[in-house]
């Protein structure tokens, strides 16, 4: 039986072609096949670096079926690379099914690390990075997006999302309404490219800034959101007030329960709202 080949998961640049690592280039030249999210898109990158290795399409619509055939070729001894249109495969990009099926078949899978927009954004954002969460793309429709933001409102780690340029402003407006004008957010746009912009500001300010400048609503972006503040011990809620909130939460949606609890107890609505979120998420 032939010795199985290796599947290399190769990161490609997110804008600046210089970010393709020498090791990535070596692997792309050495393998017998490159599985690419979009072969025409990747042809430009491969041509630029003089890589002549054949490519095959492996994208969201064919990945499950295609993977079985690719794994057969790996098992027969071929080495293969997996790339996406930009950055690290599998990070909001195809590749999960191929990697999983390859590993299940006992094929060696090796990462060739490189650019990744969320890590690049986080590394320059100046927000706590010791613990963080990546939420991918939020749902495109307003209702789903707002529900996800609400579920994240009490998250204490820094969290990141990818957003399409034409939805950036409405996403920022929802973040502002649901997290409050003071929450710090960093917009990391066009990373590694000519118009790279990294702007950090409280949400109220950031929304106005993006609204006033249509250029900020173009290109690719990552939003890096400061985590919710940890309630200080001295700030602990009086048990009576908490009981009021608990009872109201049994009957009402979070927003109404917090508003009513604020009227009954005289405490700040936003504080009760944040606490209510931690109890319901
Ligand atoms: N696999 C990629 C990675 O490793 O970052 C992400 C692919 S995902 C389909 C594309 C999204 O990543 C874009 O919509 C944007 O949110 C983000 N992105 C990609 N390149 C970027 C860049 N140069 N600057 C800022 N965000 C970028």
């Amino acid at each position: 039986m032939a010795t199985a080949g290796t599947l290399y998961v190769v990161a490609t640049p997110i804008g600046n072609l210089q970010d393709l690592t020498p090791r990535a280039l070596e692997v792309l030249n050495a393998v017998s096949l490159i599985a690419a999210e979009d072969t025409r898109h990747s042809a430009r990158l491969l041509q630029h670096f003089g890589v002549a290795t054949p490519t095959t399409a492996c994208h969201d619509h064919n990945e499950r079926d295609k993977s079985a055939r690719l794994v057969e070729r790996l098992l027969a001894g071929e080495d293969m690379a997996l790339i996406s249109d930009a950055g690290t495969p599998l990070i909001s990009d195809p590749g999960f099914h191929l990697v999983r099926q390859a590993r299940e078949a006992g094929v060696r899978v090796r990462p060739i690390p490189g650019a990744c927009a969320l890590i690049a954004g986080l590394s320059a954002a100046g927000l706590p990075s010791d613990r963080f969460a990546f939420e991918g793309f939020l749902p495109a429709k307003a209702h789903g997006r707002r529900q996800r933001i609400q579920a994240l409102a009490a998250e204490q780690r820094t969290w990141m999302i990818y957003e399409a340029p034409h939805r950036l402003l409405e996403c920022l407006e929802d973040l502002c309404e649901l997290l409050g004008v003071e929450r710090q957010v960093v917009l990391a746009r066009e990373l590694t490219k000519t118009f790279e912009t990294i702007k950090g500001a409280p949400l109220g300010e950031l929304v106005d800034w993006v609204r006033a400048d249509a250029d900020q609503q173009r290109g690719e972006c990552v939003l890096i959101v400061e985590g919710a503040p940890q309630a200080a011990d001295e700030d602990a809620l009086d048990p009576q007030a908490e009981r009021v909130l608990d009872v109201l939460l049994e009957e009402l949606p979070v927003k109404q329960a917090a508003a009513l609890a604020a009227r009954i107890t005289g405490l700040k609505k936003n504080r009760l709202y944040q606490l209510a979120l931690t109890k319901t998420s």
Side-chain angles (χ1 to χ4, degrees), residues 115-281:
C116 179
L118 77 105
I119 298 297
L122 179 66
S123 71
L127 290 176
S129 53
D130 46 347
R131 294 161 68 232
F132 60 86
F134 175 53
E135 285 289 320
F137 287 94
L138 296 183
K141 295 212 174 105
H143 179 68
R145 179 174 62 230
R146 291 170 65 88
Q147 272 188 332
R148 280 273 290 282
I149 295 172
Q150 247 159 3
L152 285 161
E155 171 59 66
Q156 288 178 359
R157 294 170 296 178
T158 297
W159 48 277
M160 281 96 73
I161 50 175
Y162 285 163
E163 192 49 282
H166 60 279
R167 278 196 292 268
L168 174 65
L169 186 57
E170 53 188 84
C171 176
L172 283 171
E173 286 169 346
D174 282 349
L175 287 168
C176 191
E177 191 189 323
L178 298 166
L179 305 180
V181 287
E182 280 168 19
R183 186 79 74 97
Q184 191 77 18
V185 170
V186 177
L187 166 64
R189 213 176 58 80
E190 293 289 86
L191 292 168
T192 78
K193 304 186 203 177
T194 311
F195 296 106
E196 179 177 87
T197 311
I198 301 175
K199 167 85 176 173
L203 268 168
E205 244 178 67
L206 193 62
V207 171
D208 290 343
W209 186 76
V210 169
R211 195 182 285 128
D213 182 356
D215 282 345
Q216 302 307 331
Q217 297 165 48
R218 299 201 176 98
E220 299 188 285
C221 69
V222 187
L223 291 171
I224 303 124
V225 183
E226 177 186 38
Q230 204 166 359
D233 272 355
E234 62 267 26
D235 261 15
L237 215 57
D238 142 14
Q240 200 65 25
E242 192 160 348
R243 174 95 191 104
V244 169
L245 181 64
D246 287 342
V247 171
L248 291 170
L249 277 173
E250 282 170 20
E251 307 293 334
L252 295 170
V254 171
K255 213 169 173 177
Q256 280 168 266
L260 208 51
R263 281 175 56 198
I264 296 168
T265 63
L267 293 170
K268 284 217 169 91
K269 190 165 76 181
N270 195 33
R271 183 159 164 231
L272 289 160
Y273 178 68
Q274 297 294 335
L275 179 67
L277 286 174
T278 62
K279 287 171 177 284
T280 52
S281 60

